[in-house]
Structures are given as C-alpha cells and as structure tokens.
Amino acid sequence: MGVLASALLMGCTTTETVVFEADSNQPVVESFDQLNWQTVVPSKQVNFAIDETNQRYVLGSGQSAVASFEIDVKGKELELEILSHFTRTVFYPNAVLLNSSNQIVKTFTTEDFEYKHAYGFLGDRLSATAKIQPSGLDPIKLVIYTTPELIKGESEVLHPVKLDAIARGNYPPDVPNPVIQHAPYGQLSIIAKVDEAIVVEKAIEIDSSDAAHQKSKQDQAESVTTAAAGLSAPMIVMDKEEAKPQSQLTESQQQYYRDSIKGAVEAGLIDKALSMLEEAKALGVEDAQATFVEAIKQ
C-alpha cells in the first residue's frame, strides 16, 4: 500500500493529509498482521478518507474498509482523539488500539463516539478520546472501521438555524434537526499528542471518553429525575414596573440549574439543556442563558 502525504504547518500544530492507495496484493485481510500501517509521529492532526481504495477487514458480520495507523509515541503518554466528519453522510466509526504484538488493549464502540455540533471552523463531527500510557518505547497501533449494522443507521445533528440563534444569544427555534445517513465511507481525522515531559515504563493504562461519557449521561439523567425532589417549588415575585421574574432561589439552587445546563450540553443532551434553560429562566436564575451559550461554544 502506497501512502501519499502532504503537511501544512498551522501555528504549533502540524496537519497532515494522508491518501491510502489500494493494495493489489492484499485488498482483503482477515488478521491485524496483514494490515499495512501508516506511521504517525505526534504531535499532529492527520486527515484522511476511508473509501473503496482502503484495505478491507473481514469482520464476523461482514467486511469494512479500514484505516490502520502506527503511532510512534516513544514511551510518552499519548492523548488521542478520533474524529469522523459529517458531510451528506457520515462514517460511524468503531476502533481498536493494539500493542506492538497486535493484541487489543482498548476497543472503541458506538457508545464511545460523542456528537459534537458545528462551531467556528469545525463542522458537525463524532469524537472519541483516550489517554494511553504505553510500555517502553513500543508504538501504539490504531485500526478504524465500521460495521454493517452501523451503515444501516442514521444520526441527528443540530439544525444550523438553532446554532445561529445560540451564537446570537437567542432561544433556539423549534425546528426539526437534520438526520444524516450512515455510510461505508467517509472523511475522518485523528489527533495525536504526547506529553514530552513524561516517559513511562509501566504497563498500558487507559483513561478514555467512553467511561466519562457514560458517567455524564447517567449523572445528568439522575439529576433530571431528582430535580423536583431536590428543590422545593419557589415563589416567583413579579416586579410590577419591570415585569421581570425575581428569583427566590438560593445561590446554591441557582448554581444547580447552571451546572445542570452545562452538564446536559457536555453530555450531548441539547434538548434537555434547552428544557432546563427554559425552566431556569422562568425561575429567574441569573446567567442561565450565558451558561448555556458558553457551554455550547466549548
């Protein structure tokens, strides 16, 4: 497999575009040993496409075009992010991390990939992160693929009209969000960063976004479920001249709403965040709108 690459220096971050060329000898493989690895030297962002030119890996339920990378961490702690970009369709990834012996040390499943809405120059995307402490100077390997079941699915993205309203500090309109079909091919990126000050010699340990994401969702669901029990219904006093709600909530109660709004956005529960925002505004919670807008921008 030949690889064509071009690099562009952007500030302190190098962005490299990789094009995978078809391997006429082994276009379809059944083991990790048969994959052709593209070497990545941190710290950089690597943009690439998964399409019909990539090697295909035989899964239990079919085949998938794959992208395979060997990340040369040189014993340094690695921060890895996998991104799949929404266009007219989206490649919904799964992935595995391997050690130098091609043994699986971490699996990224559907639940590990969080939806991130468009912001600034970044479009809608799926994102998964992991922090890896390698053993010795061995490289870390990454294989990205999808499944026949995922290809049949679809994902919802935040409507651009809602994003525009949020950016202007307005309440988002009630319009349906676009639904994007999943596809066997797509545009992806990986971002590999290392801590230059840390070189570790112990066995691989991983702190990844899957656990954090699930905990955030669980905590948010629990907080919403217990919101009514946790807060007594306050009295709303309307100023006769200004007709504005004056909150009778304590500062800790107001902070609960601000934290709940922020937590819902971070967990990808935008509709729930909007519901909490509306309730907070009705209760006169200070900075509720600002909290929501700031959380959306992050």
Side-chain angles (χ1 to χ4, degrees):
M1 176 185 66
V3 177
L4 306 177
S6 61
L8 174 65
L9 190 63
M10 300 175 62
C12 296
T13 302
T14 299
T15 300
E16 180 180 359
T17 300
V18 172
V19 180
F20 290 92
E21 296 180 335
D23 188 330
S24 58
N25 294 322
Q26 289 185 310
V28 180
V29 301
E30 298 183 355
S31 71
F32 296 134
D33 292 334
Q34 296 173 307
L35 289 172
N36 295 312
W37 305 94
Q38 165 64 15
T39 300
V40 174
V41 180
S43 291
K44 66 173 58 175
Q45 174 173 325
V46 178
N47 302 325
F48 59 96
I50 291 182
D51 56 29
E52 64 276 3
T53 66
N54 290 63
Q55 283 183 297
R56 301 187 65 83
Y57 191 87
V58 177
L59 307 168
S61 56
Q63 296 183 6
S64 171
V66 299
S68 49
F69 298 93
E70 186 175 78
I71 306 173
D72 188 12
V73 294
K74 292 184 170 62
K76 299 170 184 175
E77 184 178 82
L78 172 69
E79 291 186 12
L80 176 67
E81 182 174 13
I82 305 170
L83 300 167
S84 184
H85 306 285
F86 283 86
T87 55
R88 293 183 178 179
T89 59
V90 66
F91 181 94
Y92 207 117
N94 279 187
V96 291
L97 286 173
L98 312 171
N99 61 19
S100 59
S101 300
N102 290 337
Q103 296 172 322
I104 296 177
V105 296
K106 165 66 183 173
T107 299
F108 293 92
T109 63
T110 307
E111 290 74 20
D112 295 305
F113 286 87
E114 302 178 53
Y115 166 68
K116 302 289 186 181
H117 65 78
Y119 175 68
F121 292 106
L122 298 174
D124 294 296
R125 59 212 182 274
L126 298 169
S127 169
T129 61
K131 184 179 291 185
I132 306 103
Q133 294 183 340
S135 177
L137 302 179
D138 292 337
I140 295 295
K141 295 181 178 181
L142 171 67
V143 181
I144 302 173
Y145 62 97
T146 190
T147 68
E149 292 76 16
L150 284 174
I151 293 173
K152 298 175 184 177
E154 57 188 23
S155 293
E156 185 177 293
V157 300
L158 200 60
H159 198 290
V161 173
K162 292 183 178 179
L163 287 173
D164 182 67
I166 292 169
R168 298 172 185 273
N170 300 325
Y171 192 81
D174 185 17
V175 295
N177 290 324
V179 175
I180 306 298
Q181 297 295 320
H182 298 175
Y185 308 126
Q187 299 292 324
L188 296 91
S189 304
I190 60 171
I191 301 175
K193 300 179 181 179
V194 294
D195 190 333
E196 297 291 347
I198 301 176
V199 177
V200 295
E201 298 293 340
K202 58 184 178 180
I204 292 178
E205 298 176 3
I206 298 177
D207 175 18
S208 63
S209 61
D210 53 345
H213 182 50
Q214 290 303 316
K215 184 178 187 302
S216 179
K217 281 190 173 182
Q218 292 171 2
D219 290 347
Q220 181 61 24
E222 291 172 1
S223 67
V224 171
T225 302
T226 59
L231 290 175
S232 59
M235 179 182 297
I236 306 300
V237 179
M238 300 298 292
D239 188 291
K240 293 182 180 180
E241 295 182 0
E242 298 184 0
K244 291 183 178 180
Q246 301 298 316
S247 178
Q248 296 299 305
L249 297 178
T250 65
E251 175 56 32
S252 62
Q253 290 174 326
Q254 293 190 55
Q255 188 60 45
Y256 161 80
Y257 275 97
R258 290 190 286 265
D259 291 343
S260 295
I261 292 169
K262 182 178 179 182
V265 172
E266 291 177 347
L269 305 174
I270 302 300
D271 290 341
K272 182 60 65 178
L274 291 172
S275 176
M276 294 295 291
L277 173 61
E278 185 175 358
E279 183 178 341
K281 283 184 172 182
L283 296 175
V285 176
E286 296 180 4
D287 299 327
Q289 178 70 36
T291 298
F292 177 77
V293 172
E294 185 63 28
I296 285 289
K297 289 181 178 180
Q298 293 179 354

